[in-house]
Amino acid sequence: MSTILELADVAVSYGGIPAVSDVSLRVEAGSIVSVIGPNGAGKSTLLNAVMGVLPARGTIRFQGQELRGRDIESRVQAGMSLVPEKRELFATMSVEDNLRLGAFRHRAAGRASANRALEEIYALFPRLQERRRQKAGTLSGGERQMLAMGRALMARPALLMLDEPSLGLAPLIVRDIFHTITELRRTGVAILLVEQNARAALQVSAHGYVLETGRVTLQGPSAELASDPRVVELYLGHG
Ligand code: ATP
């Protein structure tokens, strides 16, 4: 398997206060990797650094290329996409127009290719097709998360980064979202998944990292992490 994303000693700070320190991790092409850890551990900061939203020290290599100095747009063009924690939809625009905006960011995609991508998204999320003319602001929380994921996929990324896709959703909806994440793997996209829901994240991922106060404290195959006594005690203890 080839490595699609490789971080080496990545560090990010806010006004001199470190939020992420010396993080090294790898995502193999087509695989799902999770980053779990408590609130404030630096998970969102890490994804934002990879996407180029925040400046970072260290090395971030995507498909073999060092990303230093490249802006967000060029990282999107290179094949990465981020679904931020806040989902950032256009509430007064229709579901379909929100999706089309995702393709628009990918300049190489013409209208025919955008239409094909739209069909693929609707096949993955039939719910979005049913609601395609509805305003995004009228969707339920779970549908909004699906729309945010669908929009990110319109650019046909090689790497999809998901920031807390289960945040604020009811347990049954969370199950749907994680089911979709496993389905997505079949499209060949690699996924870097940040989650406080450690149990679900470790179930869908091949490899996991535990981030605590900005540092990787544990990592390994997800099945091994899920039975590690420290992970069980701190993150899987209840239920
Ligand atoms: P959450 O699940 O709450 O999003 P997280 O693991 O994603 O947590 P981050 O949001 O990345 O954690 O935050 C990491 C640290 O950086 C925290 O101490 C947080 O207070 C701090 N931080 C985050 N954003 C900023 C900011 N814009 N300015 C200053 N400090 C920030």
Side-chain angles (χ1 to χ4, degrees), residues 4-7 10 46-56 58-81 159 161:
I4 186 163
L5 180 73
E6 188 171 10
L7 310 190
V10 167
L46 186 66
L47 291 191
N48 283 323
V50 173
M51 198 65 221
V53 179
L54 289 171
T59 309
I60 302 175
R61 211 172 276 119
F62 179 61
Q63 294 183 319
Q65 289 184 6
E66 154 76 64
L67 292 180
R68 190 180 305 280
R70 296 181 65 170
D71 63 10
I72 301 171
E73 203 56 43
S74 108
R75 294 180 199 215
V76 172
Q77 299 292 334
M80 41 170 77
S81 204
L159 174 71
M161 292 185 277

Side-chain angles (χ1 to χ4, degrees), residues 173-232:
I173 312 294
V174 170
R175 209 181 58 184
D176 278 358
I177 294 287
F178 278 96
H179 177 71
T180 307
I181 291 172
T182 56
E183 294 267 293
L184 277 179
R185 259 205 58 202
R186 287 206 239 132
T187 67
V189 67
I191 297 173
L192 181 56
L193 168 69
V194 153
E195 259 299 339
Q196 278 192 57
N197 186 337
R199 186 183 306 276
L202 292 176
Q203 264 165 11
V204 299
S205 58
H207 205 91
Y209 292 81
V210 179
L211 196 65
E212 289 168 338
T213 56
R215 290 180 188 276
V216 173
T217 51
L218 280 172
Q219 61 151 307
S222 297
E224 282 176 28
L225 274 187
S227 57
D228 184 297
R230 286 164 294 181
V231 174
V232 172

Side-chain angles (χ1 to χ4, degrees), residues 14 19 38-46 85 164 196:
Y14 293 103
N39 208 330
K43 304 183 299 298
S44 302
T45 300
L46 186 66
E85 193 175 289
E164 303 264 4
Q196 278 192 57

Side-chain angles (χ1 to χ4, degrees), residues 126-177:
R127 208 41 187 273
L128 295 182
Q129 184 163 28
E130 286 164 25
R131 301 188 186 279
R132 67 185 187 279
R133 306 207 189 288
Q134 225 169 286
K135 286 186 177 156
T138 67
L139 298 179
S140 71
E143 290 164 348
R144 268 181 233 181
Q145 178 60 35
M146 288 176 192
L147 179 53
M149 285 164 65
R151 186 178 58 182
L153 289 166
M154 285 291 287
R156 298 180 184 284
L159 174 71
L160 179 67
M161 292 185 277
L162 301 174
D163 194 353
E164 303 264 4
S166 78
L167 192 76
L169 303 179
L172 276 178
I173 312 294
V174 170
R175 209 181 58 184
D176 278 358
I177 294 287

Side-chain angles (χ1 to χ4, degrees), residues 110-122 154 156:
R111 192 163 177 94
S113 153
N115 285 341
R116 266 199 312 280
L118 199 56
E119 291 312 310
E120 287 166 22
I121 304 302
Y122 285 150
M154 285 291 287
R156 298 180 184 284

